[in-house]
Amino acid sequence: ILVCLGVGVASMFSFRFPFSIISAAIILNRMACYIMATLSSIFYGVLIDLQYFKIIHLTTSLIFTEKDFFYNIFAHMTAFYLIAFLSGVLSAKLHKVTMSLEERDTVLSDLKAFSKYVIESMPSGVFTTGLDRNIVTFNTSAQLITKLSHDDVAGKKPEDIFPFIDHSKRHTERIEGAMKIDRKNVPIGLRLSNLTDASGNSIGMIGVFQDLTKLKAMEAEVKRKEKWTAIGELTASMAHVLRT
């Protein structure tokens, strides 16, 4: 209609046909480009033929020869298919890149889920912080050990939860101390490390800690047994001396 309103063969609106072809490439696929180019060629050719055979009468002072009509039809059809070809190539590349990105997103999502499951399944407490040292994640074991939920610790600094943290020590050193849990002093062993991204840039800290209650109890039991063993050995030695 716009081509007809724009005096047919001399219309300025014929450039809208390529827009339809490009739109087909973006929205649909490569084959749709050629289908749209074919339809555009047919529609444009029909309109020009109607003007050439004077079936439709356009008010224009311009005079066009038969050569002008054939030249316009040939030029426009060639342009339509050339645009369809280029748009199709770009559409195929775009589709390939999109599929590749979707696959990478899927792999990345799977890796993130796997990492989350691994961290959540660890028997040790694990937490991470941002560059501002505010706690971001707090796994299930950490919540069970400290009796604190994620909401209780989110946004707080590690020293707010573990008051025995000594900033004078390096992050790679192991820190042992006690914290109050259910009105009891619970021994905790903790190690802080730098958290880095794939490029090696620091993005925060990661802390891994354990409840040392059982370990300390075992150590106390071992020391008690060693003490009684030493006393037994001393008693046996004294008895031997007395007998002698």
Side-chain angles (χ1 to χ4, degrees):
I1 296 172
L2 290 173
V3 173
C4 292
L5 294 176
V7 296
V9 70
S11 175
M12 296 172 54
F13 297 105
S14 58
F15 72 90
R16 291 184 176 271
F17 284 108
F19 287 166
S20 301
I21 300 171
I22 296 172
S23 299
I26 296 173
I27 299 173
L28 300 175
N29 52 33
R30 192 171 188 174
M31 182 59 66
C33 297
Y34 293 106
I35 294 173
M36 188 58 67
T38 302
L39 293 175
S40 298
S41 299
I42 293 172
F43 291 151
Y44 184 79
V46 169
L47 289 172
I48 298 303
D49 286 342
L50 292 175
Q51 182 185 7
Y52 176 73
F53 291 108
K54 296 183 175 19
I55 297 175
I56 57 174
H57 300 280
L58 302 175
T59 57
T60 176
S61 59
L62 299 175
I63 299 174
F64 299 102
T65 62
E66 182 178 349
K67 183 178 179 181
D68 294 328
F69 283 99
F70 283 109
Y71 172 77
N72 274 277
I73 293 175
F74 175 77
H76 280 78
M77 290 180 65
T78 303
F80 293 160
Y81 280 102
L82 181 60
I83 292 170
F85 172 76
L86 296 175
S87 300
V89 171
L90 294 176
S91 176
K93 289 184 177 181
L94 180 62
H95 180 69
K96 187 176 180 180
V97 171
T98 302
M99 292 295 293
S100 177
L101 289 175
E102 288 178 354
E103 290 177 1
R104 291 185 181 182
D105 286 342
T106 302
V107 172
L108 184 60
S109 298
D110 291 343
L111 286 174
K112 285 183 178 179
F114 177 74
S115 300
K116 182 179 178 180
Y117 295 148
V118 169
I119 292 174
E120 288 297 325
S121 302
M122 289 179 64
S124 299
V126 180
F127 67 87
T128 60
T129 73
L131 291 175
D132 55 2
R133 290 179 55 82
N134 291 334
I135 294 176
V136 178
T137 63
F138 207 67
N139 76 339
T140 302
S141 295
Q143 297 176 46
L144 293 174
I145 293 171
T146 62
K147 301 295 189 295
L148 296 172
S149 66
H150 181 272
D151 293 336
D152 294 332
V153 302
K156 294 184 178 179
K157 300 189 183 303
E159 52 268 27
D160 296 334
I161 311 301
F162 307 98
F164 56 85
I165 291 178
D166 186 357
H167 292 290
S168 64
K169 292 185 178 181
R170 294 182 302 174
H171 288 167
T172 54
E173 294 181 0
R174 183 175 175 80
I175 307 169
E176 289 191 7
M179 63 181 294
K180 277 210 174 287
I181 302 175
D182 292 338
R183 298 181 181 180
K184 295 179 182 179
N185 285 327
V186 177
I188 298 291
L190 182 145
R191 185 184 296 275
L192 290 172
S193 305
N194 286 323
L195 183 63
T196 58
D197 59 13
S199 303
N201 300 318
S202 178
I203 57 175
M205 293 190 308
I206 181 170
V208 181
F209 63 94
Q210 301 84 26
D211 182 351
L212 302 181
T213 301
K214 292 183 179 179
L215 180 61
K216 294 295 182 182
M218 291 174 62
E219 288 179 352
E221 181 67 17
V222 170
K223 287 180 180 179
R224 188 178 66 83
K225 289 181 178 180
E226 288 178 349
K227 178 182 177 181
W228 284 109
T229 301
I231 291 173
E233 290 176 354
L234 179 61
T235 302
S237 177
M238 291 176 64
H240 176 72
V241 170
L242 288 173
R243 282 197 304 271
T244 302

